[in-house]
Amino acid sequence: MTTPSPEKPQKILVIEDHDKMLGITKVFLKVGGYTQVRGASSGGAGLALMKEQGVDLVICDWLMPGMDGLAVFQHMRDDPALQKVPFIMMTANNKKDDMQAAIAQGVRHYLAKPFTSDILLAKVNEVLAGKRPR
């Protein structure tokens, strides 16, 4: 008889404007043992959730209408209560100039779409463990 793995108590917020991708990402995290996963369909809604409920990690889509992922990241870094929260940028955008601009703004962790549950969980575990990106 196997014992269940301990709950991973970190609060994770996924900000994604496409419902299907948001749902898949949340399911992957929950299956991976992260039970405190919330979702937001816009940058503004995500920032509001962060301030109301607190968060240990943000996974945010880059290309969203209104407030994009880079704007969410900048708002977080400008807010003393959120500036140390780890941030993973999800993107299907692999343009070198865009990536360099995000790196210049301070984004250090990326997740390329599409991804598997193994890739997502490896990145989340790495970031939450405080490991430096390679």
Side-chain angles (χ1 to χ4, degrees):
M1 178 179 188
T2 60
T3 57
S5 60
E7 179 182 321
K8 296 177 183 178
Q10 290 87 358
K11 292 181 182 178
I12 299 176
L13 174 62
V14 180
I15 306 172
E16 168 64 65
D17 62 319
H18 293 293
D19 290 342
K20 187 173 182 178
M21 190 68 199
L22 177 60
I24 289 168
T25 305
K26 288 171 60 178
V27 166
F28 283 173
L29 290 165
K30 288 179 180 181
V31 168
Y34 293 99
T35 58
Q36 297 185 48
V37 180
R38 302 246 188 275
S41 59
S42 71
L47 285 169
L49 275 173
M50 286 180 231
K51 291 176 184 181
E52 291 168 13
Q53 300 178 8
V55 66
D56 298 308
L57 172 67
V58 173
I59 303 170
C60 185
D61 185 27
W62 188 335
L63 299 175
M64 296 184 293
M67 182 183 296
D68 68 11
L70 201 50
V72 170
F73 178 78
Q74 288 306 316
H75 280 300
M76 289 175 64
R77 294 307 172 252
D78 291 342
D79 185 330
L82 300 174
Q83 62 189 195
K84 294 194 187 234
V85 173
F87 182 92
I88 299 172
M89 183 78 79
M90 278 192 304
T91 185
N93 179 1
N94 60 2
K95 294 179 184 172
K96 186 176 180 181
D97 291 344
D98 289 343
M99 292 296 204
Q100 288 175 336
I103 289 168
Q105 301 254 349
V107 176
R108 297 292 178 254
H109 301 283
Y110 293 91
L111 189 59
K113 292 181 191 177
F115 50 82
T116 64
S117 62
D118 289 341
I119 290 170
L120 171 66
L121 293 171
K123 177 55 79 175
V124 168
N125 292 337
E126 171 191 313
V127 172
L128 287 174
K131 295 180 181 174
R132 299 294 306 161
R134 292 185 182 143

